[in-house]
Amino acid sequence: MNPLPNHDAATLRQTLARVHALMESRNWTGAYEALGVLENEHSIQSSPSERGEWLLLRARCAVELGRYREAVDLGRDAFATFQHSLDTENMAVTQSTLGRAYLGLGESKNARIQARDALATYRRLGDLTGMARAHNDLARIHFVRGEYDVAIEHLTDGMDIYRQVGDRESETRMLGNLGRIHLLIGRWPEAQDVLSRALSAARESGNRVSMCRNLLSLAFLASLRHSFNEAAEHLDAALACVETTGLARERAIYHEYAGVWHYEQKHWIQAKESFRRALNIGRHLSDENDLVSQSLRGIAECELAIGDWQQAHRLAEEGLLIAIAIGERSEAGCLYRARALAEARLGRHDDAAASLERAKECLNLVGDVYELAKIDLAEAEILQSAARDAESAVAAVGRARTRFQQIGASDQDTESQWFLADLLRRQGRLTESLQAAIDAVRRLDASGSEESRERLERIANECVTHAVSGANEFRLGGAPWTPATGSQDGLEALQRAIDFYRERLGASRALLIETTAGGERSGQPLAVSGASNEFAEALATFAASPYQRHLVTDAPRVIWSVQLIPELAASLTSSEGHIPESIITVPVALGPAASGLLYADVIAGPAARQFQPRDIDFAVAFAEVVAWYSTRMRSEGLFRDVQRLRDQVARESDFPSILTQNENLRQVLTRVRLVVDADVSILLQGETGTGKDLLAKAIHYSSNRRDQRFVSVNCAALPESRLESELFGAKRGAYTGADRDKMGLFEEADGGTFFLDEIGEMPLSIQAKLLRLLETKEFTRLGDTKPRHVDVRVVSATNRDLTEEIERGTFRRDLYYRLSPVTFTLPPLRERPEDIPLLINHFLSRIAADNQRKVTIGPEVVRRMSAYHWPGNVRELENEIRKLVLLSGPNESIGLDRLGSKFSAEEAAPDQLPERPIPEGFSLYDHVANLEKRFILRALAETAGIKKHAASRLGIPESTLRLKIRQYDISEL
């Protein structure tokens, strides 16, 4: 710094006196600016004492304002000046100031050196007050370094000195510092006592700064103890002190502790906002200080609670760098813990374990019991998430509980008990989990009852899930039975039971066969696991045969070596050449006049196992359960319902259900009957509403696939993003929300018929997968790599000319030829007017009966309707009859007055010129608009209101059609 010119000494002393007054009132900004004015006006004498005093005062203000680097530079210059002038007293003050500045920069080693030198200098001077201040500075330095016992020793020495000199206010301030150390190392009872005494003393002396700091510490302690009302009172009182004193650091601490108050109540969003405010104030003071690292840790822990693990990891890393730089061991340990939890939840378990070890190293050196307990809980969670050493995870929770009990953290102890209950539940140790949960409930008061009920309910649900699963060893068979609310439910439960039976028995194949039904031999497989349909049919026929004597139906039987019985081995050899090594058969009573056989075998081979005596015991017990379930199912008529429903669907969807007298349509139906059993794809063409879906069902229920599923999908009804997963299925994780493997509709239709309606609407990307399925009978689920085989016959339908779509490039030519080896075109209703009266009578009878009405239609109405061109075809006719029935009385005869205007005399063709002269006021625009509106209405009617198809029929873009609809105020059809 350049030497400053001389000035009037009296003016200088007055200014410096004003600076001292500002510093006494803690107006550090005012004092700093006043000193800056002296420098700018060049009004400081160049004598060493005045120059040194100015440098020292400026350095002290810089420390309080967080300008630590500037404070170090000023302090060094001041120390050199005082050293040259042998001003020992100011040298000690300068050393103390440098210690605080170095600590602010995170250079704790240099800070400790300066503070020790200051203490030694004060000792030489015999300055007791200075020695006490030096002890306080050293306590702060050792506290930041996590050396709490050393910090307590310095505080105790400092308080003894202040007590000797009678400085009650300074003694109170150091007493508050001692309470904060007790608090942060987990000595909560001592902290409560010391902080309360410090607060009382500060109030007596009127020291609002000490009051503020002690109130904040008590608020923090009350939050940790979950005394939230007490904590709120302390926070409010502290904020009042902050507002009146203008303390920047204490304002940041207030927001930090408000964040703790919210966090302990699980108000994550509010907590995060409070920590952010503390962070902003801390960064304003300096880029790297304890406030910044602590606030970053608070936000990171909130992000962990919310579930944003990437953000939590980033914040923990940022805070950790600062904590390490300033030597904050305790905070570094806490940030290592937060980073470890984030890494564990991101699946980086090895990194999490390493971070946790670093956290332990830091906090073990510090000895913070509360934070060490949280380390133990974090260790348990990380071990559980990595599925490692379940016992060590449980032991870690036990250590955490011991630590919480040691410091009197009863709520945290109870929360740890709940954590243990959940940990044991996830490990499948339900009995221990329930006991831990009950112990936790006994610790809670009424305020925790709702959360307790939810937690106990989770354990109860887990117990129920276990009880109904195959893991329940006390269930006979343990198969996942479900109540038979319908025939399909019962059959599916039976199938799951046989799958479980094969798995539990370790068999290669397992089957439940019906050998007799209604007193007659049946030979029908009811449930098959691990065997082909061909083998199941052959085995069922063999078991029901009156000529075989090996698969007895009156007693259980085990055959250890099937190959020793050649005729049996020949009958049980599959088409793939698989020969059973050993078999177990158990007779099953399936219900009234019905019996069956529970069969299981092990395929011969080098690794083939033999059934054991315990397996036979299990098979007999399981057969009893199957018998009970089947008897109940049949007694409720479920099997009969299945057959009745199948017959009903078949009757409604068979060829006789298609009513026609039209010769062209009869010829189409005749040709269709010729190919119903052929394994060939069929394409149905025709306008919307001509009955393509009805014909597809007739094909299925008249074919040899009628006992399998008929699955129908409208390609225009699903968006491209969903259509692929619906058709082909998806692997877990293939897209957002895919939390489990999903079976596609093609798999569900295996063995049956798949009807693709509106095939012309299928996106090109999916057409390629469909082509592969048609060519190879294989497909791959979305997100999977394993191909799957299905046997389905594809029937498709379209109201478009696919050859035109091929020319436009919207449909694959190769797919078209795969879909259309056999093509049938259904005529529109306007080309089969002789069918209209027949259809009117059919729809009238059915709809009137469904609505319990006796409605008739007059002949004139039938004639008028037969003359109509029916752009919506049979579907439009059915809807018109339904409307007439619903709008009529219970016993009414429908006349012409009930028909809509569209059944009036046919309008003149739009291309015919009017015969009458053009009238006055005629507007060609209005006439064109009228014609345009009529054509749009007709196109919408003919395409069932589908704007995309109507626009295509009109030869205009869909956007133009939508504009015209709004322009002419055309209502939706």
Side-chain angles (χ1 to χ4, degrees):
M1 186 177 296
N2 295 325
L4 299 173
N6 296 330
H7 81 302
D8 182 71
T11 303
L12 173 62
R13 300 318 306 172
Q14 289 175 0
T15 303
L16 290 179
R18 185 164 61 87
V19 168
H20 280 288
L22 290 170
M23 293 172 68
E24 286 292 331
S25 64
R26 304 186 64 82
N27 187 351
W28 304 107
T29 302
Y32 183 82
E33 291 174 352
L35 291 167
V37 170
L38 288 177
E39 179 184 19
N40 293 334
E41 293 179 355
H42 304 286
S43 55
I44 299 178
Q45 291 184 355
S46 58
S47 67
S49 60
E50 292 177 349
R51 175 179 172 77
E53 183 179 3
W54 182 89
L55 289 167
L56 175 57
L57 292 176
R58 184 83 163 181
R60 289 176 59 190
C61 291
V63 168
E64 297 296 339
L65 294 174
R67 304 172 182 264
Y68 299 121
R69 178 55 62 190
E70 180 183 354
V72 167
D73 294 338
L74 290 167
R76 284 175 175 173
D77 287 346
F79 184 79
T81 301
F82 293 135
Q83 191 177 35
H84 182 72
S85 62
L86 301 179
D87 188 345
T88 310
E89 182 176 354
N90 276 327
M91 285 172 59
V93 176
T94 304
Q95 288 169 330
S96 178
T97 303
L98 278 169
R100 296 180 61 194
Y102 277 123
L103 183 62
L105 290 171
E107 299 179 19
S108 60
K109 181 178 180 181
N110 287 333
R112 184 175 54 181
I113 292 171
Q114 294 294 336
R116 284 180 175 175
D117 289 346
L119 178 60
T121 303
Y122 283 127
R123 280 188 179 135
R124 288 196 301 273
L125 292 170
D127 186 347
L128 294 178
T129 302
M131 289 170 59
R133 286 199 303 268
H135 278 300
N136 190 57
D137 289 341
L138 282 166
R140 179 184 298 177
I141 293 167
H142 286 288
F143 170 77
V144 170
R145 290 170 60 87
E147 298 163 351
Y148 295 129
D149 289 336
V150 179
I152 290 173
E153 290 178 6
H154 282 293
L155 286 174
T156 303
D157 291 343
M159 284 190 294
D160 288 342
I161 294 173
Y162 279 131
R163 197 174 299 115
Q164 291 177 33
V165 300
D167 190 345
R168 177 67 174 164
E169 183 175 332
S170 297
E171 181 186 354
T172 299
R173 186 172 62 252
M174 294 189 76
L175 185 64
N177 292 339
L178 178 62
R180 280 179 278 281
I181 291 179
H182 283 309
L183 168 60
L184 294 175
I185 62 177
R187 299 174 184 174
W188 289 2
E190 295 93 333
Q192 181 72 38
D193 176 62
V194 172
L195 288 171
S196 297
R197 288 193 285 118
L199 178 60
S200 298
R203 280 174 173 160
E204 289 176 7
S205 64
N207 188 330
R208 298 188 65 82
V209 175
S210 291
M211 284 173 56
C212 179
R213 292 172 178 170
N214 292 323
L215 283 167
L216 287 170
S217 298
L218 285 168
F220 179 62
L221 176 57
S223 293
L224 294 183
R225 285 182 159 177
H226 290 189
S227 300
F228 297 118
N229 291 334
E230 178 187 347
E233 292 175 2
H234 289 319
L235 284 171
D236 290 341
L239 181 60
C241 289
V242 168
E243 296 294 344
T244 56
T245 55
L247 301 173
R249 180 178 176 84
E250 281 68 21
R251 183 182 294 276
I253 295 173
Y254 164 80
H255 288 300
E256 179 188 345
Y257 289 175
V260 174
W261 185 76
H262 283 298
Y263 182 88
E264 292 296 324
Q265 297 178 82
K266 301 181 180 179
H267 304 158
W268 317 121
I269 302 302
Q270 297 93 321
K272 188 164 69 169
E273 180 59 28
S274 294
F275 285 128
R276 286 195 185 281
R277 291 178 181 177
L279 178 63
N280 291 335
I281 297 173
R283 281 178 168 160
H284 182 72
L285 295 176
S286 69
D287 291 335
E288 294 184 353
N289 59 65
D290 56 331
L291 293 174
V292 174
S293 62
Q294 290 164 12
S295 301
L296 286 169
R297 193 243 300 184
I299 302 173
E301 290 181 338
C302 290
E303 297 292 359
L304 283 172
I306 294 170
D308 191 344
W309 303 321
Q310 288 283 6
Q311 180 73 347
H313 188 270
R314 185 189 68 78
L315 291 166
E317 284 277 9
E318 184 179 351
L320 184 59
L321 292 175
I322 296 173
I324 293 173
I326 64 177
E328 272 196 311
R329 289 180 181 172
S330 177
E331 197 58 39
C334 296
L335 284 159
Y336 273 125
R337 181 189 65 226
R339 188 177 77 174
L341 288 171
E343 289 166 342
R345 292 171 187 176
L346 290 168
R348 295 155 51 183
H349 301 298
D350 291 338
D351 292 341
S355 294
L356 192 67
E357 285 303 314
R358 299 295 298 275
K360 287 181 181 179
E361 292 172 8
C362 293
L363 290 172
N364 279 326
L365 288 172
V366 172
D368 188 335
V369 179
Y370 181 74
E371 295 298 343
L372 282 170
K374 293 174 69 175
I375 284 285
D376 292 327
L377 293 178
E379 180 179 6
E381 183 171 339
I382 291 169
L383 287 171
Q384 176 63 26
S385 66
R388 297 174 181 170
D389 199 350
E391 287 300 329
S392 294
V394 173
V397 180
R399 290 196 302 273
R401 293 194 58 206
T402 301
R403 297 185 199 275
F404 285 137
Q405 291 165 8
Q406 175 184 339
I407 61 177
S410 57
D411 283 357
Q412 285 83 348
D413 182 25
T414 301
E415 192 64 30
S416 299
Q417 184 78 353
W418 278 118
F419 182 83
L420 176 62
D422 187 61
L423 187 69
L424 293 167
R425 178 183 63 80
R426 285 183 285 172
Q427 292 177 4
R429 299 157 66 174
L430 297 179
T431 302
E432 297 171 78
S433 174
L434 181 60
Q435 185 58 53
I438 291 173
D439 290 345
V441 169
R442 290 171 179 164
R443 296 168 175 269
L444 294 175
D445 56 16
S447 63
S449 59
E450 183 176 352
E451 187 173 8
S452 300
R453 284 196 300 271
E454 292 177 356
R455 286 166 158 171
L456 282 173
E457 186 178 350
R458 281 199 293 270
I459 298 174
N461 291 339
E462 193 79 20
C463 290
V464 171
T465 301
H466 179 272
V468 299
S469 72
N472 180 1
E473 62 179 323
F474 298 106
R475 298 185 66 213
L476 281 177
W481 306 102
T482 56
T485 56
S487 60
Q488 194 62 36
D489 291 337
L491 292 173
E492 288 176 357
L494 199 59
Q495 180 61 53
R496 288 196 297 271
I498 299 305
D499 290 338
F500 168 80
Y501 176 68
R502 178 171 73 94
E503 179 183 352
R504 177 62 65 89
L505 207 57
S508 302
R509 297 175 293 195
L511 299 90
L512 177 62
I513 298 165
E514 183 187 71
T515 53
T516 61
E520 302 291 332
R521 293 190 178 274
S522 170
Q524 177 184 358
L526 299 181
V528 180
S529 180
S532 65
N533 291 334
E534 179 184 2
F535 177 81
E537 293 286 349
L539 178 64
T541 302
F542 177 76
S545 170
Y547 305 105
Q548 69 88 15
R549 56 188 176 85
H550 301 289
L551 303 183
V552 297
T553 58
D554 57 353
R557 186 171 187 185
V558 59
I559 299 176
W560 302 114
S561 180
V562 175
Q563 298 183 56
L564 296 179
I565 311 174
E567 62 270 28
L568 180 61
S571 299
L572 298 182
T573 301
S574 66
S575 58
E576 297 86 0
H578 295 152
I579 305 173
E581 175 70 23
S582 60
I583 64 172
I584 293 177
T585 61
V586 184
V588 181
L590 296 176
S595 62
L597 198 67
L598 187 61
Y599 170 93
D601 67 17
V602 175
I603 300 297
R609 64 181 291 272
Q610 291 289 344
F611 287 125
Q612 302 298 313
R614 189 171 181 273
D615 297 330
I616 304 170
D617 293 343
F618 173 77
V620 171
F622 191 85
E624 293 175 357
V625 179
V626 172
W628 171 83
Y629 187 84
S630 179
T631 300
R632 187 189 70 169
M633 189 169 66
R634 289 182 181 240
S635 67
E636 295 172 350
L638 295 179
F639 276 179
R640 291 191 297 273
D641 287 345
V642 171
Q643 191 59 46
R644 178 177 57 80
L645 290 173
R646 284 180 174 174
D647 292 344
Q648 179 181 344
V649 172
R651 285 195 303 272
E652 292 176 352
S653 303
D654 203 356
F655 283 102
S657 65
I658 302 177
L659 304 177
T660 184
Q661 295 177 348
N662 181 265
E663 185 60 27
N664 290 338
L665 184 54
R666 284 183 173 181
Q667 291 179 8
V668 170
L669 297 178
T670 300
R671 292 196 300 272
V672 170
R673 284 190 180 95
L674 298 175
V675 296
V676 291
D677 290 332
D679 188 14
V680 63
S681 298
I682 297 175
L683 175 63
L684 305 178
Q685 299 182 133
E687 296 177 5
T688 298
T690 52
K692 298 185 292 298
D693 56 342
L694 182 62
L695 182 56
K697 290 180 182 177
I699 293 171
H700 172 74
Y701 288 106
S702 300
S703 71
N704 53 12
R705 296 174 179 263
R706 56 184 168 271
D707 291 331
Q708 304 300 322
R709 291 197 62 180
F710 174 85
V711 177
S712 175
V713 171
N714 189 321
C715 298
L718 292 173
E720 181 177 355
S721 58
R722 283 193 54 196
L723 185 58
E724 182 175 0
S725 64
E726 289 294 325
L727 292 178
F728 302 103
K731 186 177 177 60
R732 177 182 178 184
Y735 55 84
T736 302
D739 57 352
R740 60 178 63 90
D741 288 351
K742 176 182 178 181
M743 178 184 289
L745 292 176
F746 273 113
E747 287 181 86
E748 293 186 12
D750 191 16
T753 301
F754 202 100
F755 177 49
L756 286 166
D757 199 6
E758 302 293 350
I759 187 67
E761 303 292 331
M762 179 175 285
L764 281 168
S765 60
I766 302 178
Q767 291 180 28
K769 294 193 72 170
L770 177 60
L771 177 64
R772 182 193 174 195
L773 185 142
L774 292 172
E775 289 177 342
T776 65
K777 298 290 185 181
E778 288 185 348
F779 70 98
T780 305
R781 286 181 178 177
L782 186 65
D784 200 359
T785 57
K786 176 184 176 182
R788 299 171 185 271
H789 183 84
V790 290
D791 174 25
V792 294
R793 194 253 295 276
V794 175
V795 178
S796 54
T798 181
N799 60 5
R800 295 185 175 190
D801 186 342
L802 292 183
T803 58
E804 293 182 6
E805 299 299 323
I806 292 172
E807 296 301 320
R808 292 194 187 102
T810 60
F811 201 84
R812 296 178 63 106
R813 186 182 301 275
D814 47 3
L815 177 59
Y816 171 76
Y817 291 125
R818 281 288 179 183
L819 291 171
S820 59
V822 178
T823 303
F824 300 104
T825 302
L826 277 67
L829 189 56
R830 61 180 173 273
E831 295 179 9
R832 36 188 282 227
E834 65 271 34
D835 287 343
I836 294 176
L838 188 66
L839 292 169
I840 290 174
N841 183 60
H842 168 72
F843 291 137
L844 181 65
S845 300
R846 192 189 71 192
I847 296 170
D850 290 344
N851 292 275
Q852 299 180 353
R853 300 187 183 188
K854 295 181 180 180
V855 180
T856 59
I857 293 181
E860 186 59 30
V861 174
V862 175
R863 283 194 295 272
R864 184 67 60 85
M865 295 179 77
S866 298
Y868 181 60
H869 60 281
W870 298 106
N873 294 295
V874 179
R875 185 178 296 119
E876 183 184 6
L877 174 59
E878 181 182 6
N879 290 337
E880 189 66 31
I881 298 299
R882 179 174 286 104
K883 181 181 72 174
L884 291 174
V885 170
L886 294 176
L887 296 177
S888 302
N891 298 290
E892 186 177 348
S893 177
I894 299 173
L896 290 174
D897 58 324
R898 291 299 178 88
L899 293 181
S901 59
K902 67 182 181 181
F903 295 101
S904 60
E906 287 291 314
E907 299 168 342
D911 57 343
Q912 292 180 352
L913 292 174
E915 296 179 357
R916 58 187 177 182
I918 297 175
E920 291 293 327
F922 174 81
S923 171
L924 179 60
Y925 294 109
D926 291 341
H927 185 69
V928 171
N930 185 43
L931 287 174
E932 198 172 50
K933 181 176 180 180
R934 285 162 50 195
F935 272 100
I936 291 173
L937 285 168
R938 178 167 294 185
L940 288 170
E942 292 177 356
T943 58
I946 300 176
K947 297 180 181 63
K948 182 178 180 181
H949 297 169
S952 176
R953 182 159 294 190
L954 292 168
I956 61 175
E958 184 179 347
S959 58
T960 302
L961 175 61
R962 293 183 180 273
L963 179 65
K964 295 292 183 182
I965 289 173
R966 290 195 298 270
Q967 178 182 345
Y968 297 134
D969 194 23
I970 297 174
S971 60
E972 299 290 337
L973 295 180

